[in-house]
Amino acid sequence: MLLKLDLTDSRPLHEQVAGAIRRAIAEGECAPGDRLPPARELSRALGVNANTVLRGLRALRDEGVLEFRRGRGVTVLAGADQRARLVDQAGALLAEATRLGYSRADLVELIRRLP
């Protein structure tokens, strides 16, 4: 898995790590059931602190994209490719809404009103 971070991006590094992994899953580089490299290995490859990588991995776990298993490492969950794509699209929608002057709450309300 080849991950890259954009150091000119204003988002926090842990969000960039999560986004890079999400993209790798959405684009088929990682399939459901695949194990990810250890956090230390990812941190070395990305040039960031291991805690930064772990924070990004935990966010993906909380989203239901990854599973942590003691002794087995971090694996991609079934359906993660679809979920990762959806989360990426939701993030892009939120960014566009923010650019247009809408808050997160405004966007949620707009979505609630959809049929």
Side-chain angles (χ1 to χ4, degrees):
M1 171 172 45
L2 179 62
L3 302 177
K4 291 186 180 179
L5 301 182
D6 180 3
L7 299 178
T8 62
D9 191 333
S10 63
R11 292 179 302 152
L13 286 173
H14 70 276
E15 289 180 13
Q16 291 185 51
V17 169
I21 294 170
R22 241 188 251 108
R23 278 189 299 283
I25 293 169
E27 293 174 1
E29 281 186 59
C30 298
D34 285 355
R35 273 182 50 190
L36 296 184
R40 287 181 196 259
E41 189 176 314
L42 286 173
S43 71
R44 271 186 251 123
L46 295 170
V48 297
N49 187 290
N51 288 323
T52 301
V53 171
L54 286 169
R55 189 168 176 193
L57 292 173
R58 282 187 209 108
L60 293 172
R61 178 196 59 200
D62 295 345
E63 291 173 13
V65 173
L66 300 178
E67 178 181 43
F68 289 27
R69 285 201 172 167
R70 181 167 276 165
R72 298 194 68 209
V74 179
T75 57
V76 178
L77 287 172
D81 52 341
Q82 295 166 348
R83 184 164 177 83
R85 192 172 301 115
L86 181 62
V87 169
D88 239 8
Q89 290 173 346
L93 177 61
L94 180 58
E96 180 65 9
T98 301
R99 189 185 72 74
L100 295 172
Y102 291 92
S103 70
R104 182 182 298 248
D106 294 335
L107 183 58
V108 168
E109 186 57 35
L110 284 170
I111 291 170
R112 280 193 179 122
R113 290 184 193 169
L114 291 175

